[in-house]
């Protein structure tokens, strides 16, 4: 069984927390009483702060033109990536959308791999060839971010089918946003997964804006956890890492016993849709500020630790300082790394030895053979 990086609840310093009630569709909700510990809360605080710092630094690197192209940041949504991993193993498979930086890290990747990939360096998660939307870690069953809206959902059903076929006791997880939730292929995936009772978990990260369009303007029903119809669903406070952990444990057990389930994570992104979106034309500054003040996932865990006497302010400050140092070191390492050379342009397209060709040109010889000169005589 693959190991997890998150601390398990210990007998010492254990506390009981009541999370917000879960809303369910065609299934009974899990308990809202969650047992946790100092060790686990500190691990959650550390992981979420590392991810927050990474994304804020990516914002600065983009504005400094060290990162080019598309860049979709995850700050505000950290409780989902961290909480769900606390209930999973690396034997479970995950595929997600283009907002994938944090998922790469929680799947066992490094911050340096993310920063290097964003900067197009060969030490990146996808050797500098994928960029922001295409992180990947096959070793830990992370099948990457996907640039085509909603296309990862049927692929996630396929991963669940593989787990069922192998009978390995693991689940396939497909993550998408509220902006993708109206894609027809998602409902096709629901149907096949239900028809075959696949161990599939479909997670809608509802941050309430598909690009700049509010959910109520794009969907007649924005109760996304009910939209599987015959597929059971559960709505979760996606800003509470403990609620996410509790719901994820419930969903995995359910999927392995009963078949597919839809999860709606009620969350919020602090940045715009992408770095080209200031995120201020379709929502007010007061709205963003209110979420930061009352629902921020990191501050919620900080409060739990301090209010229950499980940590001192200085201890949390030390964690923050260490995270900043780690991210700064990752940036410097990425800047020092080389860009991928032209020899890898045709790599990772075909399996070696298949004798395939790329657009009629041999995939290996075209890099070494000079192009023929045109004879104008």
């Amino acid at each position: 069984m693959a190991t997890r990086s998150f601390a398990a609840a210990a007998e010492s310093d254990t506390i009981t927390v009541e999370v917000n009630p879960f809303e369910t569709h065609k299934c009974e909700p899990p308990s809202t009483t969650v047992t946790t510990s100092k060790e686990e809360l500190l691990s959650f605080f550390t992981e979420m702060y590392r991810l927050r710092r990474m994304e804020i630094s990516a914002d600065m690197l983009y504005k400094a033109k060290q990162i080019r192209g598309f860049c979709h940041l995850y700050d505000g949504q950290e409780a989902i990536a961290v909480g769900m991993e606390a209930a999973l193993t690396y034997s479970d498979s995950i595929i997600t959308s283009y907002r994938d930086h944090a998922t790469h890290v929680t799947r066992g990747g490094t911050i340096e791999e993310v920063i290097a990939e964003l900067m197009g360096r060969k030490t990146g998660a996808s050797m500098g060839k994928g960029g922001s939307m295409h992180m990947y870690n096959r070793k830990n069953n992370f099948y990457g971010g996907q640039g085509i809206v909603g296309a990862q959902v049927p692929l996630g059903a396929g991963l669940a089918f593989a787990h069922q076929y192998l009978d390995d006791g693991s689940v396939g997880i497909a993550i998408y946003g509220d902006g993708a939730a109206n894609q027809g292929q998602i409902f096709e995936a629901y149907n096949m997964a239900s028809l075959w009772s696949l161990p599939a978990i479909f997670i809608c990260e509802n941050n309430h804006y598909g690009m700049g369009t509010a959910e109520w303007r794009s969907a007649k029903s924005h109760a996304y956890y009910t939209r599987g119809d015959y597929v059971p669903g559960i709505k979760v406070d996606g800003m509470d890492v403990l609620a996410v952990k509790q719901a994820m444990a419930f969903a995995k057990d359910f999927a392995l016993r009963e078949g597919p389930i839809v999860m709606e994570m009620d969350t919020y992104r602090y940045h715009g849709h992408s770095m080209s979106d200031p995120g201020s034309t379709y929502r007010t500054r007061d709205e963003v500020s209110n979420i930061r003040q009352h629902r921020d996932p990191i501050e919620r865990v900080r409060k739990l630790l301090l209010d229950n006497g499980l940590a001192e302010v200085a201890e949390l400050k030390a964690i923050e300082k260490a995270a900043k140092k780690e991210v700064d070191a990752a940036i410097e390492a990425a800047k020092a790394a080389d860009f991928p050379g032209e020899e890898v342009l045709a790599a990772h397209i075909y399996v070696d030895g298949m004798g395939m060709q790329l657009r009629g040109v041999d995939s290996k010889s075209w890099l070494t053979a000079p192009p023929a000169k045109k004879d104008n005589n």
Side-chain angles (χ1 to χ4, degrees), residues 95-99 133-134 144-158 173-190 192 201-205 210-211 273:
I95 191 166
T96 189
S97 69
Y98 40 70
R99 203 177 303 279
M133 297 191 287
H134 301 289
Q146 307 291 310
I148 305 302
V149 176
Q152 71 276 13
V153 180
L155 295 177
I173 298 166
I175 306 173
Y176 56 100
D178 54 292
N182 299 314
Q183 289 280 319
Q185 58 195 320
I186 292 177
F187 298 93
E188 294 177 51
Y190 288 168
M192 287 188 287
I201 302 175
F202 301 105
I203 298 179
C204 177
E205 291 183 309
M211 297 184 73
H273 169 72

Side-chain angles (χ1 to χ4, degrees), residues 99 117 126 137 159 165 283 311 321 360:
R99 203 177 303 279
E117 188 62 37
S126 299
N137 184 351
L159 292 171
Y165 183 82
R283 58 185 185 180
K321 184 176 180 180

Side-chain angles (χ1 to χ4, degrees), residues 334-364:
K335 288 180 177 179
D338 293 330
F339 291 100
E342 65 175 17
E343 71 278 359
V344 300
L345 286 175
H348 309 108
I349 297 175
Y350 298 115
V351 174
D352 290 341
M354 288 182 66
M356 301 292 287
Q357 292 186 333
L358 175 64
R359 293 187 182 274
V361 180
D362 184 81
S363 62
K364 296 189 186 305

Side-chain angles (χ1 to χ4, degrees), residues 203-269:
I203 298 179
C204 177
E205 291 183 309
N206 181 11
N207 60 31
H208 302 283
Y209 296 96
M211 297 184 73
T213 303
E215 58 182 350
W216 60 269
R217 295 181 62 201
S218 63
K220 183 65 176 178
S221 168
H222 43 85
Y224 297 105
Y225 69 103
T226 70
R227 294 178 67 183
D229 188 11
Y230 40 79
V231 180
I234 179 171
K235 184 176 181 179
V236 185
D237 182 355
M239 302 295 273
D240 183 347
V241 67
L242 291 174
V244 174
K245 175 196 170 186
Q246 184 84 335
M248 195 72 229
F250 164 81
K252 179 175 178 178
D253 178 71
F254 184 96
L256 289 172
R257 288 186 295 104
E258 306 289 342
I261 185 169
V262 177
M263 302 184 75
E264 178 185 346
M265 301 289 187
D266 181 5
T267 188
Y268 200 84
R269 55 171 164 79

